[in-house]
Structures are given as C-alpha cells and as structure tokens.
Amino acid sequence: MQTNSIIELSRTAYQNNIDFLSQLFGKKTILSSVVKGNAYGHGIPEFVTMASACGVNHFSVFDADEARQIKAVLDQKITILIMGYLHQNDLEWIIENEIEFFVFDKKRLMDACKMAKKLNKKAIVHIEAETGMNRTGFEKNELATVVSILKKEKDNLVFKGLCTHYAGAESIANYYRIEKQIKRFNEIYQFFCENELKPLLRHSACSAASIMFPQTRMDLVRIGIMQYGLWPSQEVFITYLNAKKIKKDPLHRIITWKSVIMGIKKVKTAEFIGYGTSFMAKKDMKIAVIPIGYAHGYSRSLSNHGRVLIQGQRCMVIGLVNMNMVAVDITEIETVKKGEEVVLIGNQKELAITIASFSDYSSQLNYELLTRISKTIPRKIRN
Ligand SMILES: *Cc1c(COP(=O)(O)O)cnc(C)c1O
C-alpha cells in the first residue's frame, strides 16, 4: 500500500451535501449518485460505502467494471445504472445482477433481448434519446423501431427509463441549445406515451442542469460533482446564490489530500532548484521536498504555481513538479521537521487549499483534477 500520501473523505461533509441536495430536489425525485471516474477520484469502494451509510441507494457509473467495484462492497438493495460503455461479454453479468443500463443503439437493445431470453430474466433498460448533444442516443428516425421492439419484447425488457444528457448546462452561453434539448426531450416522451409506452422514470439532469433548469429534474437526477461538495462552474454557484438571502455555500468539500515532508534543504541565493532553470533562488531559501508528483495526479502544470499547507501556512511550489516529488518554499517557517504533515487539498488550521484554487492554477476543470488523483493512494473515511 502506498504511504506517500493519504486521502480522507469526510462523512459529515457528505451527509451535509446529501441532506442539502435531497431537500432541494424533494422526495419525489430520486437522487442517483454518479461515481464514474473512480468516484471523481474519491475512490469507488470507500466512497460508495460512505454514501450508502448516508442513505444513498442509487448509483450511476460509466461501465461494468465500475458497477462490479460497487457490487464488491455493497450487497444491500441498491440500484446501479450504467450510463456509458458496455462490452458484449458484460451483458450476462449485468442482466443476471439486475444492473440497469443505458441503451442508445438497436444492436444493444437486440443483444439485451437475446441475453434476457437466455437467462430467463428481464433486462432493465433506459432508452437514451438524442436531443442535441450529438454523442450517444437514439436518433428521431430510430424511435419508431425502438417502440416496436419494446412492445414486441415486453417479456424480456423492462422499459425503466427514458433519458438524455445536456451539452453543457453549466454555462449560460449554451442556454438556447439546452432549452432546445429540453423541448425535444419532452416531445420524445410524448411520442412514447402516444404509443402506449410510458417509461417508469424520466431523467435528464446532471448537477448543472438541476440548478440552472429545475424543470429538468423530473423523476431522477444524476448528481456527480455537487455531491462531492463542488459546483460545476462559478456560473452555477452564482445562479444558486442569487435566489438566496443567505450568501453562503451550502456544499462542503469532502476530500482532503495529505502527504508528509520527506526532506529539508537549504539553498543559497542564485542557485537553481530542481531540474533545469525553471526556478532560481532570489534569496537564501529553505525548501521541503514532498513525495508527490504527477504520477500521483499532482499536475505538472502546478510547477511554480501550486500551493500546499504546512503548519497552517501557505507554501509555494518551486520549480517543476517531478514524477514523484515536488519542492515547496518553507523559508518563512522557523521550525519544520521531516515527517510533518503537508496538505495538498483541504484545511489545515485557519487556511484551506480548495480544489477551485488548485484547478485555476493548473487550468484544469475540477472534474479532471479530481479524477486524475491516483487510484493507488489509500482512501479513508473519517467523521
Ligand atoms: C457525468 C454524468 C453526470 C453527472 O455530471 P455532474 O456534472 O458531475 O453532475 C450525469 N449524467 C451523465 C450521462 C454523465 O455522464
């Protein structure tokens, strides 16, 4: 097990986020916790265990591998929905285990029928409609075929959901595109209803859509980034706040990423630090070396830009982020010892390194930064 760093998940913060979101969406809307990308870097096994203890019982993933990781730790009555890729060889396990899945092409629908027949068990499908993102989803001219298959194969298929995904609801710049998608989705729903095929659930919203376009919440919301305590974009956060009297962030970050000082060194004025010439000491300096680098997901673009916390003080990253190490400036801290705690993301005393600040420096999205945090770092749930 890796000992270079540790990731802690705050159960209190998560419960807070889930309570806030559940209240916002109301009892009639199912909250599906999106845990693709190793639960946005939080770690699927630990994260879903914590989520389940906090009352979440619906999870959405990208593929069967992620579904298996959930199944390995949770055997209670939970629902798993695969939104993305399915390999032919996974179909049997999926149907056998009553895992639900998006279907966006005829072949997958027919394969699901065949496998369901073979297993004598119904496949639980969510029909994804193309509404304007142009990624996955049945085209308008394919819907009549979908209707006839669903009718003909009703002994083998459960028409559990009708769904779609929006092309960038986090930005006002996409307002008209999203409005058009919502309209199309409603028309497609009507089309199914007119053909006497009513899905059990209608769903379309991700975090951003659920805030920017509340009408997209429908029967189920697929919430990723917000449950982790982060907003999809500044615009979404501001839109939320504008409608509120109390201008306070209702979401709490649940991840903390900590490492330790592995070495301390003094450097004289005019010396270069690390590889090449990217950093020259302009005064006599003291630096701490931390056993974290881009191999662990600490982005190389944080070279000379990132900050960490040591003894509650902000310390600049100096020089390049290496594969496994990074140096920080501790000149101003009097007594520092090897083995002392370093916070890469999270709070220490009065200060915090937020993911937003982090990703601004590295010009990565919240999403990307989080999912790049190495899977091999141990995760621990705390209160
Ligand atoms: C990732 C994803 C979501 C969740 O997105 P967030 O912005 O993190 O809430 C919802 N639906 C689909 C299809 C997704 O791929």
Side-chain angles (χ1 to χ4, degrees), residues 151-207:
K151 281 191 166 165
K152 190 164 143 255
E153 301 287 345
K154 64 178 183 311
D155 294 333
N156 301 307
L157 299 172
V158 179
F159 183 23
K160 182 77 181 274
L162 180 67
C163 56
T164 196
H165 187 55
Y166 300 113
E170 69 284 349
S171 172
I172 284 289
N174 303 325
Y175 182 82
Y176 287 106
R177 188 170 173 198
I178 307 296
E179 284 277 297
K180 238 162 107 182
Q181 283 193 273
I182 298 171
K183 189 164 162 275
R184 259 189 220 157
F185 187 58
N186 288 332
E187 287 164 4
I188 292 167
Y189 175 70
Q190 284 311 323
F191 174 77
F192 277 94
C193 291
E194 281 158 18
N195 282 282
E196 282 133 34
L197 271 178
K198 209 173 139 113
L200 292 165
L201 302 171
R202 218 175 357 150
H203 55 102
S204 65
C206 58
S207 296

Side-chain angles (χ1 to χ4, degrees), residues 244-311:
K244 298 285 150 192
K245 280 207 192 71
I246 306 163
K247 309 285 182 204
K248 199 168 149 248
D249 191 346
L251 298 173
H252 298 167
R253 177 176 26 78
I254 69 175
I255 197 171
T256 298
W257 188 12
K258 285 179 188 170
S259 184
V260 289
I261 297 177
M262 66 182 272
I264 295 170
K265 207 176 253 308
K266 290 192 169 145
V267 180
K268 290 250 179 282
T269 312
E271 291 276 327
F272 290 110
I273 299 176
Y275 285 121
T277 54
S278 101
F279 189 93
M280 186 204 271
K282 294 184 182 61
K283 54 180 183 190
D284 286 354
M285 292 182 76
K286 187 165 59 170
I287 60 158
V289 178
I290 304 162
I292 283 298
Y294 56 80
H296 309 102
Y298 197 82
S299 174
R300 206 164 170 275
S301 53
L302 292 163
S303 298
N304 285 317
H305 283 296
R307 287 146 174 81
V308 303
L309 298 175
I310 297 172
Q311 292 188 11

Side-chain angles (χ1 to χ4, degrees), residues 34 36 40 83 102 135 165 205-208 222-226 232 367:
V34 178
K36 65 188 185 205
Y40 292 45
M83 307 182 292
F102 278 31
R135 192 172 67 176
H165 187 55
C206 58
S207 296
R222 307 184 302 258
I223 301 296
I225 199 82
M226 289 198 306
Y367 297 78

Side-chain angles (χ1 to χ4, degrees), residues 21 24-25 165-172 174 178 204-217 221-226 230-233 235-237 239-240 367:
L21 294 168
L24 183 68
F25 302 136
H165 187 55
Y166 300 113
E170 69 284 349
S171 172
I172 284 289
N174 303 325
I178 307 296
S204 65
C206 58
S207 296
S210 77
I211 302 292
M212 307 294 265
F213 305 89
Q215 72 272 35
T216 63
R217 291 176 193 166
V221 286
R222 307 184 302 258
I223 301 296
I225 199 82
M226 289 198 306
L230 305 166
W231 295 87
S233 69
E235 280 174 60
V236 177
F237 181 38
T239 303
Y240 170 79
Y367 297 78

Side-chain angles (χ1 to χ4, degrees), residues 109-173:
L109 197 55
M110 295 312 292
D111 288 346
C113 284
K114 258 187 243 151
M115 185 54 76
K117 236 177 256 172
K118 187 180 147 202
L119 298 172
N120 196 19
K121 195 153 186 171
K122 288 185 181 184
I124 311 168
V125 301
H126 293 244
I127 299 294
E128 186 186 10
E130 178 57 73
T131 55
M133 173 139 177
N134 292 316
R135 192 172 67 176
T136 47
F138 280 106
E139 300 290 336
K140 200 171 174 185
N141 63 10
E142 297 174 296
L143 294 176
T145 313
V146 173
V147 162
S148 68
I149 297 173
L150 287 175
K151 281 191 166 165
K152 190 164 143 255
E153 301 287 345
K154 64 178 183 311
D155 294 333
N156 301 307
L157 299 172
V158 179
F159 183 23
K160 182 77 181 274
L162 180 67
C163 56
T164 196
H165 187 55
Y166 300 113
E170 69 284 349
S171 172
I172 284 289

